[in-house]
Amino acid sequence: MKEIPKAYSPNEVEDKWYKYWEEHNLFSSEIDETKEPYTIVIPPPNITGMLTMGHILNNSIQDVYIRYKRMQGFNALWVPGTDHASIATETKVVNYLKEQGIDKEEIGREEFLKHCHVWKEKYGGIITKQLRKLGVSCDWKRERFTMDDEYYKSVIHTFVKLYKEGLIYRGNRMVNWCPVSKSAISDEEVIFKSSNGKLWYFKYPVKDSNEFVIVATTRPETMLGDTGVAVNPKDERFKHLIGKKIILPIVGREIPIFTDDYVDMEFGTGAVKITPAHDVNDYDMGKRHSLEMINIFKEDATTNKNVPLDYQSKDRYEVRKLVVAKLEELGLLEKTEDYTNNVGYSERGGVPIEPYLSEQWFMKMEDFVKPALEVVREGKVNFHPNHWIKTYEHWLGNIRDWCISRQLWWGHRIPVWYHNETNEIYCDENPPTDLENWTQDNDVLDTWASSWLWAQDVFTSEEEQKYYYPTNLLVTGPDIIFFWVARMIMAGMKFMNDIPFKDVYFTSIIRDEQGRKMSKSLGNSPDPLDVIDQYGADALRFTINYIAPLGQDVQFSTDKTELGRNFANKIWNAGRFLLMNAENIKIDNNLLDKHVDFVDEWIATKFQNAIEQYTTSLDKYEINGATKILYSYVWNDFCDWYIELTKDRLYNSESEEIKSAVLTRAINHFDNMLRMIHPFMPFLSEELWSLIAERKDGESISVAQFPLLDKSAINKLAESKMDFVQSIITSIRNIRGEMNIPPSKKIDVLLKTDTLEEDQIKYIQTIARINKLEFGADISKPKASASSVIKNCEIYIPLEGIIDLQVERDRLTKEIQRLEGALIGVNKKLSNERFVNNAPKEVVEKENAKKTDWENSLETLKSILDDLT
RNA sequence: GGGUCCUUAGCUCAGUUGGUUAGAGUGUCUGCUUGACGUGCAGGAAGUCAGUGGUUCGAAUCCACUAGGACCCACCA
């Protein structure tokens, strides 16, 4: 047999097994009516994307579930794919071309799209390749892209259907305009940032009067588009001016002074300049009062011909300076104040958005709201953690129509044609037959108006949709709850008449050690591939799940991965121990239930408990609970105790058959443990599983049966026998530690107890490294000894000549004090009549039992201490 | 302005229907070449469960308020 290295080295193991899994199609799924499907669709990453720590968390969670369910016998399917990410990709491609001196407008739509497709070919696969490194068990044969032919058709089909139902309409409305992308964006794509700006006070001259009306503004440049000044109808200060006109400075336009309830008398001067074409609230007021709407900007937010010549074709911030300077020159700048307000930025463009009046396509949201709310309220779709329901409800309750058109080229082009002469609108999946007389709408759809169909449209046939839909689990960050989660539910209810998924798991946000969000600009995000390279994919998967509780942000730093690395190494070495023994001891499955003792029964019991808790945790989406159960079973129960305790029988048994039985059983336990480990640590578990037995080609732990709960394996008696052994050993170790007796030195021990049996003694003797062990109810305390008292047992270690009496006295005193402190609490409770009368009987009994135990121990300890003094 | 979440050992966090002497990892201290593992083993020290008040026989856990922190929504020029 080949040499097994002392340390687990993940790198070659990972590559080997991922290849193996793919070659044997272990993750592919087809319709199989005899099996229940378990389906996850990947939240499609951008084709501009690189793997982030967020992806690691997100995808390892999904992989845990898909592997877990696959092993449980479900027909598990995880569909991977990517999103064309219209605006994000187009921005990148435009920039890339700009670097080469190519202008998007110059080369034209068709040529530009060619570049986009080249980009997609080049970068589209990067992230999915990186995901493989993490070990994700996706069915790669089903990989989808939101602009695949079939998907494209489906998106267009949906548009046409909704248009024909009257749910999609076109309108000239105020939208959030991104001057960088030169496109409208949705409300969700606007990020508000607090910014330190100024509040300028302008004096607007009243016509035919010497008076001025002072208005305050944060955006002086928009005054060039002012078409009114509004005051509150109750405001006495302005009563005499209502109905009069203002001569707008610089421009010279006459604009009315009018009243509107919207105006807050307390704020600023109580008079508001109104720019209906460049502010949402002004727009509403403009409509109410039939004000002129003067658009002063071009689509890149430079000024157009509607402003005086000197101010034309200039950037909005340049115009701001000019306007302020000019008004100051005219003596119309009253004052300037510092002012902090929130400015909406374009998520992709990174610049302040411009409220902009333009012709756009909208989707009516009203009809979508009710079913989407119902399924979540009724628990058909479950959110984890469920407090996100409130956020979801709030958004749905205040939803506005969705602007779905984008003035971009990369995306699903709106299937609408306008007649060149009559301007008639034609909307259909197929272009009009007399195409030469028509012109197609230039806009494409918002990315989310395609990805909201993801859960249904990744399945290309009706049979598949019928079988796999609805999917089971969606794992995603709460940041896209509106963009994607809510809209997928809407789409599901509308087009499939069913929910898109049953459970939604909202992941934590990964932060750095200082609690800051990980971001490219801060440079505080480690490259997950480096972490995988350094520690292994399993280590990273385990660690991130171990430290990421449901619904809480998590602070990550690379060195935390040592936790998972050490854990992987521990498992590796447990396997190594068994394999080394298997070189000398025969494995014989016929002996699986021969020569069983209480330790075997105990570990079987512990395993059942672990499996039960692990399963319950995963079923409740308490993933980090599952990792903790796994960790403590593997490390504390299996390695620290079980393996240690098998050594005696493995090395010292009188017959080879006993050795074989013990080792065979140990390997069997290990096999089961590996299955429990596998969803979290697929590579390591596969490697060890392949080593502990002969495996046929194509066999894999990833499709092996997940351990079933077997309550008959639970043995309470064995558990309590083991408990007793453990507490005696721990006590002896404790004494050794505090008395500084090195482990190499064997000691004599006396145990005063009447509940020990021969099979327990054997283990205590070897594990505690005991030379001579005496036990029984009639043991009497030796003269000079270190002592300890536990429930039903007094422990004496004779240390004549060696013992430091003062150390021993301190030890005993400390223990006595601890017990006395604990007893105070119990006595207080038990002497309280109301406790005895009101608390449940079991609780009172438990307290009584504690009291008796502690009092007995205390009494013994005190007499031992007295002997010493 | 409206809402959600958090505050437990030096650090990172468990503690899920109120009943343990409040746990783990890490760090720290002590000892250890124990026939898998020093990426390890054994042991020790370390906590006014943010504060105040309330409900209760009993509160880290439930309620109210206060303080500090994170986030979401809205957006008054």
Side-chain angles (χ1 to χ4, degrees):
Chain A
M1 198 176 229
K2 63 169 187 172
E3 182 88 0
I4 307 159
K6 269 190 171 184
Y8 170 58
S9 51
N11 295 0
E12 59 262 41
V13 169
E14 290 173 3
D15 288 347
K16 176 178 82 183
W17 287 113
Y18 207 90
K19 240 177 242 164
Y20 179 89
W21 294 332
E22 286 212 88
E23 272 165 22
H24 291 90
N25 277 325
L26 293 170
F27 307 144
S28 72
S29 165
E30 279 162 27
I31 295 176
D32 177 353
E33 296 294 349
T34 65
K35 283 167 115 188
E36 195 184 330
Y38 184 89
T39 321
I40 300 179
V41 294
I42 208 165
N46 286 352
I47 55 170
T48 59
M50 297 288 281
L51 204 62
T52 63
M53 288 310 299
H55 289 118
I56 297 286
L57 176 63
N58 195 306
N59 286 285
S60 60
I61 290 170
Q62 293 174 86
D63 200 41
V64 164
Y65 279 93
I66 209 85
R67 284 180 185 273
Y68 169 62
K69 293 292 178 180
R70 185 182 292 120
M71 290 176 79
Q72 283 188 328
F74 287 87
N75 186 0
L77 170 62
W78 187 6
V79 186
T82 44
D83 193 301
H84 67 289
S86 173
I87 192 165
T89 308
E90 180 151 338
T91 309
K92 291 234 174 187
V93 175
V94 165
N95 287 340
Y96 166 76
L97 291 176
K98 206 180 270 169
E99 280 166 24
Q100 326 228 319
I102 302 171
D103 182 73
K104 171 188 157 185
E105 303 290 339
E106 267 171 34
I107 57 174
R109 186 171 197 133
E110 254 176 66
E111 197 60 28
F112 178 77
L113 287 178
K114 276 186 200 160
H115 284 289
C116 288
H117 281 287
V118 170
W119 174 280
K120 192 259 161 183
E121 287 312 311
K122 195 168 166 191
Y123 295 103
I126 288 182
I127 197 160
T128 53
K129 277 197 200 83
Q130 291 180 330
L131 280 174
R132 286 171 168 89
K133 284 268 179 201
L134 189 64
V136 295
S137 59
C138 296
D139 186 353
W140 292 107
K141 289 199 308 259
R142 291 173 175 270
E143 188 170 351
R144 299 276 184 269
F145 178 54
T146 48
M147 295 226 306
D148 285 343
D149 286 349
E150 291 198 51
Y151 200 98
Y152 199 109
K153 272 185 205 152
S154 177
V155 172
I156 297 305
H157 171 83
T158 305
F159 183 98
V160 173
K161 179 180 155 68
L162 292 177
Y163 177 80
K164 291 191 171 156
E165 285 180 30
L167 291 174
I168 285 179
Y169 65 93
R170 193 167 188 248
N172 192 32
R173 297 275 201 91
M174 178 135 307
V175 293
N176 310 296
W177 187 266
C178 170
V180 170
S181 318
K182 294 173 199 161
S183 171
I185 56 176
S186 68
D187 295 340
E188 289 71 32
E189 286 166 297
V190 178
I191 315 281
F192 282 94
K193 291 185 194 169
S194 175
S195 78
N196 296 320
K198 299 235 186 286
L199 195 57
W200 286 271
Y201 289 79
F202 292 160
K203 290 158 78 174
Y204 278 8
V206 180
K207 191 187 174 191
D208 302 329
S209 155
N210 298 328
E211 265 190 89
F212 295 97
V213 172
I214 300 173
V215 295
T217 179
T218 53
R219 303 201 51 202
E221 66 278 15
T222 61
M223 65 86 64
L224 300 174
D226 281 1
T227 55
V229 168
V231 297
N232 190 289
K234 293 195 192 93
D235 199 331
E236 296 296 330
R237 293 173 293 179
F238 302 103
K239 266 227 153 113
H240 63 293
L241 294 174
I242 292 160
K244 292 201 168 179
K245 302 267 182 186
I246 293 281
I247 309 285
L248 189 62
I250 302 176
V251 182
R253 183 163 50 234
E254 288 187 15
I255 59 175
I257 301 171
F258 64 96
T259 62
D260 195 292
D261 287 329
Y262 171 80
V263 179
D264 179 356
M265 286 160 61
E266 307 299 318
F267 190 86
T269 60
V272 191
K273 62 186 268 314
I274 304 299
T275 321
H278 297 291
D279 182 278
V280 181
N281 296 310
D282 291 9
Y283 174 74
D284 291 339
M285 267 188 275
K287 274 185 111 178
R288 279 202 289 276
H289 299 278
S290 310
L291 298 181
E292 204 184 340
M293 307 219 173
I294 301 176
N295 184 353
I296 61 164
F297 291 123
K298 292 187 265 195
E299 39 185 47
D300 59 354
T302 60
T303 38
N304 63 15
K305 295 209 165 104
N306 293 331
V307 301
L309 198 57
D310 292 350
Y311 299 85
Q312 284 179 18
S313 292
K314 291 187 163 55
D315 181 78
R316 46 188 168 160
Y317 296 107
E318 199 187 333
V319 175
R320 176 176 298 180
K321 281 184 204 151
L322 292 176
V323 166
V324 172
K326 185 70 182 174
L327 285 168
E328 191 167 16
E329 186 191 318
L330 295 170
L332 297 175
L333 179 65
E334 171 77 9
K335 60 175 173 177
T336 309
E337 283 175 356
D338 287 333
Y339 187 69
T340 305
N341 70 337
N342 284 328
V343 178
Y345 280 71
S346 158
E347 189 190 25
R348 292 293 162 189
V351 297
I353 54 115
E354 193 58 52
Y356 196 67
L357 211 49
S358 60
E359 197 75 13
Q360 302 289 346
W361 288 95
F362 295 89
M363 195 185 293
K364 281 187 192 164
M365 287 286 104
E366 212 183 327
D367 294 358
F368 288 94
V369 169
K370 209 180 147 207
L373 271 177
E374 264 174 16
V375 292
V376 171
R377 280 187 182 147
E378 289 166 6
K380 287 183 179 131
V381 175
N382 294 289
F383 285 2
H384 309 277
N386 65 9
H387 66 75
W388 287 107
I389 294 175
K390 284 202 173 175
T391 308
Y392 176 83
E393 285 177 340
H394 183 257
W395 183 74
L396 281 173
N398 296 285
I399 198 166
R400 294 194 292 170
D401 286 356
W402 176 13
C403 175
I404 52 169
S405 49
R406 296 290 180 275
Q407 288 64 54
L408 303 166
W409 289 345
W410 176 244
H412 306 81
R413 190 166 178 182
I414 288 173
V416 168
W417 287 259
Y418 306 98
H419 195 274
N420 292 341
E421 276 146 39
T422 63
N423 244 354
E424 183 192 342
I425 285 182
Y426 173 95
C427 175
D428 195 82
E429 289 162 61
N430 301 305
T433 43
D434 54 335
L435 196 54
E436 64 280 6
N437 296 321
W438 301 79
T439 307
Q440 188 173 1
D441 195 297
N442 269 319
D443 295 351
V444 300
L445 286 172
D446 179 9
T447 293
W448 303 100
S450 63
S451 28
W452 73 328
L453 303 172
W454 189 248
Q456 56 203 59
D457 279 351
V458 293
F459 306 109
T460 42
S461 71
E462 266 183 47
E463 296 77 47
E464 289 222 322
Q465 266 186 349
K466 203 170 158 237
Y467 180 72
Y468 289 113
Y469 190 96
T471 68
N472 294 78
L473 175 64
L474 180 79
V475 180
T476 187
D479 49 331
I480 54 173
I481 184 168
F482 310 135
F483 280 118
W484 199 47
V485 178
R487 285 177 184 147
M488 274 210 286
I489 295 174
M490 291 174 172
M493 296 314 291
K494 173 76 184 171
F495 307 117
M496 300 295 288
N497 202 23
D498 199 352
I499 53 171
F501 29 69
K502 294 169 189 146
D503 290 285
V504 184
Y505 185 99
F506 290 106
T507 55
S508 324
I509 293 167
I510 312 274
R511 298 173 177 279
D512 72 2
E513 276 182 302
Q514 282 125 55
R516 301 173 304 181
K517 260 188 182 174
M518 289 200 168
S519 74
K520 272 183 197 160
S521 52
L522 277 174
N524 60 348
S525 176
D527 183 342
L529 292 179
D530 290 345
V531 183
I532 288 174
D533 206 43
Q534 194 182 346
Y535 294 101
D538 289 332
L540 179 55
R541 287 168 61 119
F542 185 82
T543 304
I544 201 138
N545 278 299
Y546 188 88
I547 63 177
L550 176 60
Q552 216 91 324
D553 289 357
V554 54
Q555 297 193 18
F556 180 83
S557 64
T558 306
D559 54 4
K560 282 197 174 166
T561 319
E562 284 181 16
L563 172 86
R565 193 264 322 255
N566 295 354
F567 187 48
N569 191 246
K570 188 71 183 175
I571 298 165
W572 175 257
N573 273 289
R576 182 165 176 262
F577 168 80
L578 298 172
L579 290 167
M580 284 167 79
N581 278 292
E583 287 180 43
N584 311 316
I585 301 170
K586 203 177 138 213
I587 308 290
D588 183 353
N589 281 314
N590 296 317
L591 298 174
L592 254 182
D593 47 12
K594 299 276 170 17
H595 308 289
V596 173
D597 74 1
F598 77 96
V599 174
D600 295 307
E601 290 165 344
W602 165 80
I603 192 68
T605 302
K606 282 285 176 186
F607 182 71
Q608 288 306 319
N609 290 340
I611 281 292
E612 187 178 16
Q613 292 175 50
Y614 177 101
T615 308
T616 331
S617 293
L618 281 189
D619 291 349
K620 287 195 294 187
Y621 296 95
E622 288 166 6
I623 299 170
N624 112 315
T627 62
K628 284 181 172 131
I629 288 147
L630 186 61
Y631 188 90
S632 112
Y633 173 73
V634 170
W635 205 306
N636 304 124
D637 296 330
F638 194 87
C639 294
D640 287 349
W641 287 101
Y642 176 63
I643 284 190
E644 288 307 315
L645 262 52
T646 58
K647 284 179 181 172
D648 182 45
R649 299 217 288 164
L650 242 26
Y651 301 141
N652 305 324
S653 290
E654 61 270 24
S655 83
E656 285 304 309
E657 190 181 291
I658 296 178
K659 292 182 183 176
S660 284
V662 172
L663 185 64
T664 305
R665 210 156 31 237
I667 287 182
N668 193 259
H669 281 309
F670 189 66
D671 182 321
N672 279 319
M673 189 173 91
L674 288 176
R675 293 171 199 237
M676 182 163 62
I677 293 167
H678 184 259
F680 287 95
M681 310 177 93
F683 296 111
L684 169 71
S685 53
E686 185 78 274
E687 173 75 3
L688 284 167
W689 201 72
S690 79
L691 293 173
I692 56 168
E694 288 293 316
R695 307 290 178 197
K696 293 188 210 80
D697 190 40
E699 228 182 324
S700 164
I701 193 174
S702 67
V703 290
Q705 171 67 48
F706 194 81
L708 297 168
L709 204 57
D710 174 14
K711 298 247 176 182
S712 72
I714 292 175
N715 187 323
K716 292 277 176 203
L717 179 67
E719 217 178 354
S720 75
K721 283 180 83 169
M722 185 66 184
D723 270 354
F724 197 37
V725 169
Q726 286 177 314
S727 46
I728 291 172
I729 291 171
T730 305
S731 267
I732 297 171
R733 281 172 172 169
N734 182 308
I735 293 171
R736 290 189 93 117
E738 296 196 6
M739 288 285 165
N740 266 325
I741 304 165
S744 55
K745 185 175 169 61
K746 290 213 169 185
I747 49 172
D748 293 344
V749 172
L750 292 90
L751 301 173
K752 182 175 179 184
T753 174
D754 54 5
T755 51
L756 265 186
E757 290 168 34
E758 202 59 49
D759 52 354
Q760 291 166 292
I761 288 295
K762 202 180 56 179
Y763 287 115
I764 294 169
Q765 187 140 17
T766 37
I767 295 299
R769 306 183 69 79
I770 293 169
N771 185 35
K772 196 175 82 188
L773 184 97
E774 288 178 44
F775 70 102
D778 51 356
I779 290 285
S780 56
K781 179 188 175 317
K783 267 176 238 149
S785 69
S787 323
S788 183
V789 178
I790 59 170
K791 194 180 173 185
N792 298 330
C793 186
E794 291 165 34
I795 300 162
Y796 301 111
I797 303 176
L799 291 168
E800 193 130 22
I802 317 173
I803 191 166
D804 182 334
L805 287 178
Q806 194 51 48
V807 173
E808 176 64 4
R809 270 196 290 270
D810 291 349
R811 241 177 39 77
L812 292 171
T813 310
K814 198 181 71 184
E815 178 65 7
I816 286 168
Q817 280 169 352
R818 194 183 65 87
L819 276 175
E820 279 173 344
L823 262 173
I824 290 171
V826 181
N827 283 328
K828 205 172 138 194
K829 264 189 193 173
L830 286 170
S831 61
N832 183 343
E833 266 177 52
R834 287 180 302 179
F835 170 73
V836 181
N837 296 335
N838 291 324
K841 219 173 77 188
E842 315 88 73
V843 176
V844 179
E845 271 168 20
K846 221 168 118 190
E847 294 297 314
N848 266 315
K850 276 195 274 186
K851 183 183 151 101
T852 316
D853 279 351
W854 293 344
E855 277 173 353
N856 289 342
S857 301
L858 196 59
E859 200 182 322
T860 318
L861 281 167
K862 276 180 172 165
S863 76
I864 295 170
L865 183 61
D866 284 347
D867 281 357
L868 277 179
T869 356

